[in-house]
Amino acid sequence: MTGAVTEPLLAWYDAGHRDLPWRRTRDPYRIWLSEIMLQQTRVEAVIPYYERFLSACPTVRDLADAPEETYLKLWEGLGYYSRVRNLHKAAQVICDTYGGQMPADYAALLKLPGIGDYTAGAVASIAFDIAEPAVDGNVLRVVARLTGDERPIDDAKVKKDMRAQVAAIIPHDRPGAFNQAMMELGAVVCIPNGAPRCGDCPLMHLCRACHEQTTDRIPVRTPKKARTVVHRTVLLPRCGGLVGIRKRPDTGLLARMWELPAYEHPLEPSALRDQLAADGWKVERMLSLRPAKHIFTHIEWHMTGYYVELSEPVEDLTWVTPSALRGDYALPSAFRAFLKVIEEET
């Protein structure tokens, strides 16, 4: 990849690009927050979360001081909750070590919890004009097609090589604009799903994959392993107008998140009634709910749901009102399908 990329790419970006809220600021905290939210989440989905999060935590120090329930609730529905936990940890480090100001140094950014090469490069270049590349999936796809590279872009050595290629041509006078232009090109022209819009590409004249008509097979990725399927029986316990929830363990999937209680195996209604009785649940009424499925990175939950009305509360659950559940407790979106039963309650 040559420096001939830079001029037409920046001219294309300057002529018109998406107006996104994090592109209207040089505040490193806001840029950092947007980059973490955008990991594995669509731009359209991120915008309302981004604005809501900043309303509650407008500064790094506000995030550092926020209790766990607050920042988890702000993140509810975005998934991959380790991202916001690392945001909080990093905010505390920034306050304790850097006086509440994100360091204007790539190596220092890279040491913060949850920040890797890409995020450090994005914050360093966009907020501080440091000439470090920000190479995400969009940029890897653009580089692979430009150079006709048929190596798997999810291979660590290939990523390192492509990052070096971008680093070699990043302009020192406009590194942030260049990185955003590369990301923009991958997001709206050299798109991930469907045929690339080569006719709209400012780099079409340089693109080997376009010239060799190999855009249908580039980029190459290593085949993914099949996800593990876990069958769960999820309960929506009710007692006296309250809903019973519990916290997940401190480690593992969805650590310390609130959840609806569940058994880690499928149970038919009669077997479930027996199991609940054995566990001391005094069931007055039980209704089947529509089954649901939730996909994590490596696991699929296939869930059978039951509405369970009790004559007295179970001691090992936390009992809350439906309105408190909506406003104060962060439940992963995996349980959203079962909560529809109580959506209209106040």
Side-chain angles (χ1 to χ4, degrees):
M1 195 162 66
T2 70
V5 166
T6 304
E7 188 174 335
L9 178 66
L10 285 173
W12 169 80
Y13 185 74
D14 290 341
H17 52 262
R18 290 174 298 174
D19 179 24
L20 303 173
W22 43 87
R23 287 181 175 166
R24 304 172 200 147
T25 181
R26 295 290 297 275
D27 182 343
Y29 168 60
R30 291 172 180 244
I31 293 166
W32 168 46
L33 175 64
S34 73
E35 293 297 347
I36 298 299
M37 284 187 167
L38 286 164
Q39 293 171 12
Q40 300 178 319
T41 308
R42 293 178 300 105
V43 167
E44 297 78 10
V46 162
I47 292 174
Y49 282 96
Y50 174 80
E51 293 172 343
R52 185 179 69 170
F53 200 100
L54 287 174
S55 293
C57 299
T59 68
V60 172
R61 196 167 294 280
D62 291 319
L63 174 55
D65 293 341
E68 182 178 61
E69 284 300 329
T70 296
Y71 63 77
L72 288 178
K73 186 65 181 178
L74 290 169
W75 204 266
E76 185 181 48
L78 271 178
Y80 301 96
Y81 287 87
S82 61
R83 294 183 295 172
V84 72
R85 294 188 191 281
N86 282 327
L87 269 169
H88 183 253
K89 289 176 187 175
Q92 292 181 320
V93 173
I94 290 166
C95 289
D96 293 343
T97 307
Y98 301 103
Q101 300 297 317
M102 290 194 76
D105 179 82
Y106 174 79
L109 289 167
L110 201 54
K111 292 178 182 177
L112 294 172
I115 292 187
D117 283 340
Y118 166 74
T119 305
V123 175
S125 63
I126 299 168
F128 301 119
D129 286 324
I130 299 170
E132 288 286 348
V135 180
D136 66 353
N138 283 324
V139 176
L140 288 170
R141 182 170 55 260
V142 168
V143 173
R145 284 175 171 161
L146 276 174
T147 60
D149 196 330
E150 298 193 40
R151 295 177 296 170
I153 63 171
D154 49 357
D155 179 270
K157 291 182 180 179
V158 175
K159 287 182 180 180
K160 185 176 180 180
D161 181 37
M162 289 185 174
R163 186 181 187 280
Q165 293 180 60
V166 176
I169 66 169
I170 188 170
H172 285 243
D173 59 336
R174 298 188 67 194
F178 174 83
N179 280 333
Q180 291 182 91
M182 287 287 281
M183 297 176 214
E184 185 83 349
L185 188 67
V188 303
V189 174
C190 200
I191 56 178
N193 300 308
R197 297 164 184 153
C198 296
D200 298 328
C201 181
L203 306 179
M204 182 176 69
H205 62 293
L206 301 172
C207 182
R208 281 191 62 182
C210 179
H211 294 163
E212 297 171 2
Q213 297 185 341
T214 55
T215 56
D216 59 334
R217 69 170 187 261
I218 296 176
V220 174
R221 291 184 179 274
T222 305
K224 292 183 179 180
K225 295 180 180 178
R227 295 187 190 92
T228 300
V229 175
V230 176
H231 294 274
R232 310 181 83 231
T233 302
V234 178
L235 311 176
L236 179 60
R238 302 300 306 275
C239 185
L242 303 178
V243 184
I245 57 176
R246 69 183 182 189
K247 269 206 169 182
R248 290 180 62 81
D250 289 344
T251 58
L253 183 66
L254 302 176
R256 299 201 307 277
M257 297 291 293
W258 291 98
E259 69 167 355
L260 296 177
Y263 293 105
E264 298 298 322
H265 50 273
L267 286 169
E268 296 298 323
S270 59
L272 176 59
R273 281 186 176 276
D274 292 342
Q275 182 66 63
L276 291 174
D279 292 340
W281 289 39
K282 294 182 169 30
V283 178
E284 287 192 339
R285 188 165 66 115
M286 191 173 79
L287 301 171
S288 294
L289 301 175
R290 182 174 296 179
K293 180 172 74 172
H294 191 80
I295 297 175
F296 299 93
T297 305
H298 303 296
I299 296 175
E300 285 187 25
W301 279 359
H302 290 200
M303 297 172 285
T304 303
Y306 292 91
Y307 178 100
V308 182
E309 201 168 298
L310 305 177
S311 59
E312 59 184 61
V314 179
E315 289 186 3
D316 60 355
L317 297 181
T318 297
W319 294 88
V320 301
T321 64
S323 60
L325 183 60
R326 284 192 296 273
D328 303 325
Y329 294 85
L331 263 75
S333 56
F335 303 103
R336 190 171 294 163
F338 303 117
L339 295 174
K340 289 180 180 178
V341 176
I342 56 171
E343 273 183 356
E344 302 304 319
E345 296 184 32
T346 58

